[in-house]
Amino acid sequence: MVCKLLVPALLALPLAAAAPEPATGVKCRIAVDGGPVMGGWAGACRAGLADGLGAGRVRDQLGPGVFAGRAKAGQATYGIVVLDEGGFTMVATTPEPERPYIDQAADTSGHAFQNSFAGAAAAAAAHRRAGNAASARYYRQLRVRLIAGQPE
C-alpha cells in the first residue's frame, strides 16, 4: 500500500537542489511501488539492491524525488519520498496492524516518518564516511526538513 499525502508546509517547496548523485562508490539500486529501479542508494545494501535503512533517488507515480527510509530487496518498503516538485509520498507497504484505541493511519504515518529520519541519517553517515561532505550535508538537511514537515 502506498499512501499519497499532499504537502505539509516545509515539504511543499521544491528541493533547493536535487539530491546529489552518488560519489561514494555506492552501487546500490532502489525502486518505489513497482517503478523503475534507479541507482544512488546510500545505506544498507545486499547484492546491489537497497536492503535496510538509507536514502536515494527514485521515481514514483508523481515524479522524481528522494526516498528516505527502509528498503528490502531493492524495493522501498517504509519511509517518505520527498518529490522534486514539492510535496511528498508516504511509502508503507506493510501498514501497522489495527490495535484498539490507536489510530492506524496516524501510527503508520508516524512509523514511515521515523524510518525516513533514520534513513536520511544513514545516508548522511555513508556519504560522510566516503568523504563526500556535500552529499552528507544534503541528507542531514533532508532529515531536518522531514522532521519539521511531518504531520501532527
Side-chain angles (χ1 to χ4, degrees):
M1 172 179 105
V2 175
C3 300
K4 307 292 184 195
L5 300 177
L6 294 177
V7 198
L10 291 176
L11 293 177
L13 301 173
L15 291 175
E21 291 300 317
T24 61
V26 175
K27 300 294 183 197
C28 222
R29 297 195 167 295
I30 181 73
V32 172
D33 197 25
V37 176
M38 299 179 75
W41 177 260
C45 187
R46 181 176 293 158
L49 298 174
D51 201 272
L53 288 171
R57 297 289 299 164
V58 295
R59 176 176 296 279
D60 83 349
Q61 296 169 352
L62 296 177
V66 177
F67 172 76
R70 186 170 300 280
K72 185 169 184 167
Q75 290 292 313
T77 59
Y78 227 126
I80 302 294
V81 177
V82 178
L83 298 165
D84 289 351
E85 297 298 320
F88 71 96
T89 302
M90 182 176 73
V91 177
T93 57
T94 54
E96 299 300 310
E98 289 192 44
R99 294 179 284 179
Y101 310 110
I102 298 290
D103 179 344
Q104 182 182 2
D107 201 30
T108 298
S109 174
H111 282 101
F113 271 94
Q114 291 299 320
N115 275 284
S116 74
F117 308 154
H127 285 290
R128 181 182 44 75
R129 284 190 304 274
N132 186 338
S135 291
R137 182 174 45 258
Y138 172 86
Y139 285 106
R140 282 192 311 271
Q141 291 170 346
L142 179 65
R143 183 177 183 275
V144 169
R145 282 186 65 206
L146 286 161
I147 290 169
Q150 68 182 322
E152 299 203 13

